[in-house]
PDB file of all heavy atoms in Angstrom:
ATOM      1  N   LEU A 450     120.064 110.040 150.032  1.00  0.00           N
ATOM      2  CA  LEU A 450     121.135 110.936 150.490  1.00  0.00           C
ATOM      3  C   LEU A 450     122.242 111.052 149.457  1.00  0.00           C
ATOM      4  O   LEU A 450     122.836 112.118 149.280  1.00  0.00           O
ATOM      5  CB  LEU A 450     121.698 110.419 151.822  1.00  0.00           C
ATOM      6  CG  LEU A 450     120.740 110.482 153.022  1.00  0.00           C
ATOM      7  CD1 LEU A 450     121.335 109.752 154.209  1.00  0.00           C
ATOM      8  CD2 LEU A 450     120.447 111.933 153.380  1.00  0.00           C
ATOM      9  N   TRP A 451     122.551 109.949 148.782  1.00  0.00           N
ATOM     10  CA  TRP A 451     123.547 110.003 147.711  1.00  0.00           C
ATOM     11  C   TRP A 451     123.104 110.967 146.615  1.00  0.00           C
ATOM     12  O   TRP A 451     123.894 111.742 146.089  1.00  0.00           O
ATOM     13  CB  TRP A 451     123.765 108.608 147.119  1.00  0.00           C
ATOM     14  CG  TRP A 451     124.833 107.823 147.788  1.00  0.00           C
ATOM     15  CD1 TRP A 451     125.894 108.298 148.489  1.00  0.00           C
ATOM     16  CD2 TRP A 451     124.941 106.388 147.839  1.00  0.00           C
ATOM     17  NE1 TRP A 451     126.654 107.270 148.986  1.00  0.00           N
ATOM     18  CE2 TRP A 451     126.097 106.092 148.598  1.00  0.00           C
ATOM     19  CE3 TRP A 451     124.178 105.357 147.327  1.00  0.00           C
ATOM     20  CZ2 TRP A 451     126.512 104.784 148.828  1.00  0.00           C
ATOM     21  CZ3 TRP A 451     124.584 104.059 147.558  1.00  0.00           C
ATOM     22  CH2 TRP A 451     125.736 103.776 148.309  1.00  0.00           C
ATOM     23  N   GLY A 452     121.819 110.863 146.264  1.00  0.00           N
ATOM     24  CA  GLY A 452     121.302 111.745 145.215  1.00  0.00           C
ATOM     25  C   GLY A 452     121.395 113.206 145.590  1.00  0.00           C
ATOM     26  O   GLY A 452     121.553 114.066 144.718  1.00  0.00           O
ATOM     27  N   LYS A 453     121.321 113.517 146.898  1.00  0.00           N
ATOM     28  CA  LYS A 453     121.412 114.895 147.377  1.00  0.00           C
ATOM     29  C   LYS A 453     122.844 115.307 147.717  1.00  0.00           C
ATOM     30  O   LYS A 453     123.074 116.439 148.150  1.00  0.00           O
ATOM     31  CB  LYS A 453     120.526 115.073 148.614  1.00  0.00           C
ATOM     32  CG  LYS A 453     119.036 114.932 148.326  1.00  0.00           C
ATOM     33  CD  LYS A 453     118.540 116.075 147.455  1.00  0.00           C
ATOM     34  CE  LYS A 453     117.052 115.981 147.211  1.00  0.00           C
ATOM     35  NZ  LYS A 453     116.534 117.109 146.416  1.00  0.00           N
ATOM     36  N   LYS A 454     123.813 114.379 147.544  1.00  0.00           N
ATOM     37  CA  LYS A 454     125.222 114.636 147.845  1.00  0.00           C
ATOM     38  C   LYS A 454     125.414 115.096 149.289  1.00  0.00           C
ATOM     39  O   LYS A 454     126.180 116.015 149.586  1.00  0.00           O
ATOM     40  CB  LYS A 454     125.807 115.669 146.878  1.00  0.00           C
ATOM     41  CG  LYS A 454     125.783 115.216 145.425  1.00  0.00           C
ATOM     42  CD  LYS A 454     126.386 116.268 144.503  1.00  0.00           C
ATOM     43  CE  LYS A 454     126.349 115.798 143.049  1.00  0.00           C
ATOM     44  NZ  LYS A 454     126.912 116.803 142.118  1.00  0.00           N
ATOM     45  N   SER A 455     124.695 114.437 150.203  1.00  0.00           N
ATOM     46  CA  SER A 455     124.771 114.779 151.617  1.00  0.00           C
ATOM     47  C   SER A 455     125.866 113.969 152.294  1.00  0.00           C
ATOM     48  O   SER A 455     126.157 112.834 151.904  1.00  0.00           O
ATOM     49  CB  SER A 455     123.419 114.502 152.285  1.00  0.00           C
ATOM     50  OG  SER A 455     123.515 114.574 153.689  1.00  0.00           O
ATOM     51  N   THR A 456     126.479 114.559 153.333  1.00  0.00           N
ATOM     52  CA  THR A 456     127.477 113.821 154.110  1.00  0.00           C
ATOM     53  C   THR A 456     126.822 112.727 154.943  1.00  0.00           C
ATOM     54  O   THR A 456     127.508 111.884 155.506  1.00  0.00           O
ATOM     55  CB  THR A 456     128.247 114.769 155.052  1.00  0.00           C
ATOM     56  OG1 THR A 456     127.310 115.439 155.911  1.00  0.00           O
ATOM     57  CG2 THR A 456     129.021 115.806 154.259  1.00  0.00           C
ATOM     58  N   GLY A 457     125.474 112.754 155.043  1.00  0.00           N
ATOM     59  CA  GLY A 457     124.776 111.693 155.755  1.00  0.00           C
ATOM     60  C   GLY A 457     124.763 110.387 154.988  1.00  0.00           C
ATOM     61  O   GLY A 457     124.449 109.337 155.558  1.00  0.00           O
ATOM     62  N   ALA A 458     125.114 110.428 153.691  1.00  0.00           N
ATOM     63  CA  ALA A 458     125.166 109.203 152.888  1.00  0.00           C
ATOM     64  C   ALA A 458     126.358 108.360 153.306  1.00  0.00           C
ATOM     65  O   ALA A 458     127.470 108.858 153.472  1.00  0.00           O
ATOM     66  CB  ALA A 458     125.261 109.559 151.404  1.00  0.00           C
ATOM     67  N   LEU A 459     126.116 107.074 153.498  1.00  0.00           N
ATOM     68  CA  LEU A 459     127.188 106.172 153.913  1.00  0.00           C
ATOM     69  C   LEU A 459     128.055 105.823 152.714  1.00  0.00           C
ATOM     70  O   LEU A 459     127.527 105.483 151.648  1.00  0.00           O
ATOM     71  CB  LEU A 459     126.604 104.892 154.522  1.00  0.00           C
ATOM     72  CG  LEU A 459     125.629 105.064 155.690  1.00  0.00           C
ATOM     73  CD1 LEU A 459     125.162 103.704 156.184  1.00  0.00           C
ATOM     74  CD2 LEU A 459     126.261 105.853 156.804  1.00  0.00           C
TER      75      LEU A 459
END
Side-chain angles (χ1 to χ4, degrees):
L450 293 171
W451 270 335
K453 294 293 182 178
K454 298 181 180 179
S455 169
T456 57
L459 305 181

